[in-house]
């Protein structure tokens, strides 16, 4: 029997706000444990949450970036569970009235993955488990705003799941919602997967897989789980609904808790936060400020004549395209700007392992290097050397560095002709061969002229002079 997998994804994304969802503590990764805390996010008695307006606005922006529809009326609910990293004993989330629903993402293969719901909630703290037999708790993350994005069961392979996550991340990053960095935990994802016989209506019993720390891990876990469920059904068994954990080192999933152990969250409306009506005017205002999407950018760059490799590099993130556009403006030529941004500048970025926004050289400086090449004062390789020198001495100018390095290209026709004449006189045999029709002989003559001029002669002028003198002119 042939089976068809069905997958639904639940993704949590931390919003890039300045402060937490219900208090004024900083929302920042990497600080010393328990330094970004206050009575509200540590769950002291008698405190009151206040909704962070920036979080709400970023949430609305995310919903718009995902083509979702905003609910006119939304509220918060308490979701109860007991865990050491949850100081209040409940999480403020949204249950029956999420703030957005619908929308979705079109995959490369044309499949449209619909979104079931998008809601806002607060993150929990973090347990630190690497201290022998004790567990420490860091509450810096407690109360950080999260967006939960849940799909309909529209995904049917591990590749589609990978593609969905890649595109979701791109949408959210370009809209400035979140860094979506799985390593820092600002994007986390659980997957639900079931299989059912092809041709049969309805879905099979699903398992939920947790502890997936990269998109590649999601793909591996899904492949394993689809194979496990297939084997189970083929051998006459049945899938039980449960939560499983992915053990990456062993390459398998394992039961975490069964449905019987599923928690009763005892949801009820959060009494300390008033329900919200989301104003149409606010939505309209956020819509007009929605940053350009990666897709729109790609189309615009393609129309500028950039190739697919350049499109890819320049839409890796928003900063790379922004950098390219500043350079294009400064040097007045999109193609040259793309070649330099994707070439030397991107190489430097890789070397420094930094973002385009943290580069030690500005678009204006690179534009001055491009100008040297364009005017013929520097060869392409000399311009690259000037670029590197400029990175090392950013207070100097491209012009002065060209001089200092003695790289100025010789375009003086008289000097070049003299060198060509000397080379021709010293190579009678090659000259005779060329004149007898062996055009390849010109290559070695060209090399000798370039060498004689220390590699600094303008190659176009050398070539032209060589041709003319060989022709006897
Ligand atoms: P819960 O609230 O219990 O987590 P939901 O019904 O909201 O469950 O579904 C969670 C996720 O599981 C959604 O992404 C949904 O599309 C997906 N899902 C639901 N049923 C199935 C199924 N039979 N197989 C695979 N995924 C499913
Ligand atoms: Mg769920
Ligand atoms: Zn706080």
């Amino acid at each position: 029997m042939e089976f068809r997998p069905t997958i639904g994804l639940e993704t949590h994304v931390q919003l890039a706000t300045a402060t937490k969802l219900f208090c004024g503590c900083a929302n920042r990764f990497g600080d010393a444990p328990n330094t970004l805390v206050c009575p509200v996010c540590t769950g002291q008695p008698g405190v009151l949450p206040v909704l962070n307006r920036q979080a709400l606005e970023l949430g609305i922006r995310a919903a718009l970036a995902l083509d979702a529809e905003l609910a006119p009326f939304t509220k918060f609910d308490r979701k109860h569970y007991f865990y050491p990293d949850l100081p209040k004993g409940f999480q403020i989330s949204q249950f029956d009235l999420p703030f957005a629903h619908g929308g979705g993402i079109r995959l490369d293969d044309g499949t449209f993955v619909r979104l079931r719901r998008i809601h806002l909630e607060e993150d929990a703290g973090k347990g630190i488990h690497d201290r022998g037999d004790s567990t420490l708790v860091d509450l810096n993350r407690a109360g950080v705003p999260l967006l939960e994005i849940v799909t309909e069961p529209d995904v049917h392979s591990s590749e589609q799941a990978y593609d969905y996550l890649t595109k979701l991340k791109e949408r959210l990053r370009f809209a400035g919602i979140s860094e979506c960095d799985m390593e820092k935990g600002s994007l986390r994802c659980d997957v639900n997967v079931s299989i059912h016989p092809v041709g049969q209506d309805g879905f099979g019993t699903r398992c939920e897989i947790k502890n997936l720390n990269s998109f590649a891990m999601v793909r591996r876990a899904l492949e394993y789980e689809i194979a496990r469920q297939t084997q189970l059904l083929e051998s006459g068994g049945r899938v039980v609904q449960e939560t499983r954990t992915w053990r990456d080192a062993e390459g398998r999933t394992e039961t975490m808790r069964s449905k019987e152990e599923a928690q009763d969250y005892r949801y009820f409306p959060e009494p300390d936060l008033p329900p919200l009506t989301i104003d149409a005017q606010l939505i309209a205002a956020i819509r007009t400020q929605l940053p350009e999407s990666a897709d729109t950018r790609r189309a615009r760059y393609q129309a500028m004549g950039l190739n697919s490799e350049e499109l890819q590099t320049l839409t890796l993130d928003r900063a790379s395209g922004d950098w390219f556009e500043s350079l294009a403006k400064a040097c007045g030529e999109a193609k040259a700007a793309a070649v330099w941004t994707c070439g030397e500048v991107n190489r430097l970025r890789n070397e420094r392992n930094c973002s385009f926004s943290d580069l030690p050289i500005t678009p204006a400086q690179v534009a001055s290097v491009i100008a040297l090449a364009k005017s013929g004062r520097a060869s392409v390789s000399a311009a690259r050397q000037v670029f590197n020198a400029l990175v090392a001495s950013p207070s100097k100018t491209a012009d002065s560095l060209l001089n200092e390095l003695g790289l100025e290209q010789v375009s003086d026709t008289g000097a070049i002709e003299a060198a060509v004449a000397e080379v021709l006189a010293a190579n009678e045999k090659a000259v005779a061969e060329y004149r007898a029709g062996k055009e390849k002989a010109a290559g070695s003559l060209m090399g000798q002229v370039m060498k004689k001029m220390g590699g600094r002669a303008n190659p176009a002028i050398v070539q032209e002079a060589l041709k003319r003198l060989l022709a006897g002119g």
Side-chain angles (χ1 to χ4, degrees), residues 17-71:
T17 52
T19 56
K20 293 186 180 182
L21 188 53
F22 300 117
C23 65
C25 293
N27 169 14
R28 207 164 49 222
F29 179 84
D31 282 46
N34 298 311
T35 55
L36 308 176
V37 293
C38 74
V40 175
C41 56
T42 56
Q44 305 303 310
V47 297
L48 286 173
V50 178
L51 180 63
N52 177 343
R53 187 177 174 92
Q54 192 194 10
L56 178 68
E57 291 182 0
L58 278 182
I60 294 172
R61 197 203 279 181
L64 295 175
L66 294 167
D67 305 315
E69 214 171 291
L70 287 143

Side-chain angles (χ1 to χ4, degrees), residues 392-439:
S393 324
S395 60
K396 296 191 175 164
T397 66
D399 250 64
S400 65
L401 285 165
L402 183 72
N403 274 327
E404 226 172 272
L405 295 167
L407 288 171
E408 182 139 11
Q409 184 162 264
V410 178
S411 296
D412 172 354
T413 315
I416 290 174
E417 270 180 6
V420 170
E422 271 178 56
V423 167
L424 295 192
N427 290 275
E428 280 174 18
K429 201 173 143 221
V431 172
E433 279 172 7
Y434 178 86
R435 290 188 172 140
K438 199 176 157 204
E439 290 196 5

Side-chain angles (χ1 to χ4, degrees), residues 6-10 116-117 150-154 192-194 203-206 208 241:
T6 294
I7 297 160
L9 297 100
E10 296 173 74
R116 180 175 281 188
R117 58 184 282 145
V150 183
T151 73
E152 294 290 347
D154 288 345
N192 293 268
V193 56
S194 65
F203 298 131
T205 305
R206 71 185 150 116
E208 180 171 2
Q241 188 172 342

Side-chain angles (χ1 to χ4, degrees), residues 27-330:
N27 169 14
R28 207 164 49 222
F29 179 84
D31 282 46
N34 298 311
T35 55
L36 308 176
V37 293
C38 74
V40 175
C41 56
T42 56
Q44 305 303 310
V47 297
L48 286 173
V50 178
L51 180 63
N52 177 343
R53 187 177 174 92
Q54 192 194 10
L56 178 68
E57 291 182 0
L58 278 182
I60 294 172
R61 197 203 279 181
L64 295 175
L66 294 167
D67 305 315
E69 214 171 291
L70 287 143
F73 180 81
T74 186
K75 69 171 171 70
F76 290 94
D77 301 278
R78 290 187 180 181
K79 177 182 182 180
H80 299 82
Y81 58 96
F82 182 77
Y83 205 74
D85 64 14
L86 191 73
K88 293 198 292 269
F90 62 84
Q91 176 189 26
I92 303 180
S93 179
Q94 298 197 279
F95 183 49
D96 53 334
L97 293 173
F99 82 97
H101 68 275
I105 285 181
R106 176 85 52 200
L107 303 184
D108 281 339
D109 67 7
T111 304
F112 188 71
V113 180
R114 293 165 301 156
L115 299 182
R116 180 175 281 188
R117 58 184 282 145
I118 305 177
H119 73 246
L120 269 168
E121 62 186 26
E122 56 179 338
D123 208 343
K126 214 161 39 180
I128 300 166
H129 303 286
D130 60 357
R131 308 294 157 106
D133 52 8
S134 51
T135 289
L136 304 179
V137 174
D138 175 10
L139 294 180
N140 284 354
R141 202 179 69 178
V144 163
L146 283 181
L147 212 57
E148 179 170 335
I149 302 163
V150 183
T151 73
E152 294 290 347
D154 288 345
V155 170
H156 296 286
S157 69
S158 57
E159 290 75 33
Q160 284 187 333
Y162 188 90
D163 194 27
Y164 164 79
L165 288 170
T166 307
K167 292 190 160 56
L168 176 70
K169 177 173 168 172
E170 184 179 86
R171 288 262 192 115
L172 296 174
R173 287 185 59 163
F174 269 76
I177 306 300
S178 171
E179 261 190 274
C180 294
D181 185 342
M182 280 189 107
E183 268 173 43
K184 292 184 186 165
S186 60
L187 186 151
R188 310 194 285 272
C189 161
D190 303 329
V191 297
N192 293 268
V193 56
S194 65
I195 60 167
H196 70 279
V198 171
Q200 191 176 302
D201 275 353
F203 298 131
T205 305
R206 71 185 150 116
C207 290
E208 180 171 2
I209 312 172
K210 291 191 178 290
N211 294 321
L212 301 164
N213 297 325
S214 70
F215 293 176
M217 244 185 240
V218 169
R219 190 154 59 183
R220 286 198 288 277
L222 282 171
E223 273 156 24
Y224 171 87
E225 186 60 20
I226 291 165
R228 184 188 74 88
Q229 294 184 12
T230 304
Q231 237 168 32
L232 204 58
L233 294 192
E234 275 173 346
S235 61
R238 59 181 199 90
V239 175
V240 282
Q241 188 172 342
E242 61 184 2
T243 304
R244 300 178 68 85
T245 184
W246 173 245
R247 300 233 175 262
D248 197 52
E250 295 140 59
R252 63 183 180 84
T253 60
E254 164 185 294
T255 300
M256 207 165 133
R257 52 178 181 261
S258 68
K259 200 187 175 191
E260 288 69 46
E261 297 165 276
Q263 292 166 21
D264 173 5
Y265 292 123
R266 294 173 294 124
Y267 279 102
F268 68 73
E270 166 59 60
D272 292 338
L273 286 166
L276 283 173
T277 46
I278 301 179
D279 189 60
Q281 255 176 312
L282 176 65
I283 299 172
I286 293 174
R287 196 188 291 280
T288 59
Q289 293 159 13
L290 199 61
E292 182 179 44
S293 74
D295 285 338
T296 311
R297 231 178 212 193
R298 268 188 286 272
R300 195 158 57 78
Y301 291 174
Q302 198 162 19
M304 290 170 147
L306 308 198
N307 64 34
S308 61
E309 221 170 294
E310 289 161 349
L311 292 188
Q312 203 186 352
T313 305
L314 297 179
T315 52
L316 274 181
D317 54 19
R318 209 142 52 109
S320 60
D322 289 349
W323 212 94
F324 154 68
E325 289 185 37
S326 311
L327 179 57
K329 205 181 252 172

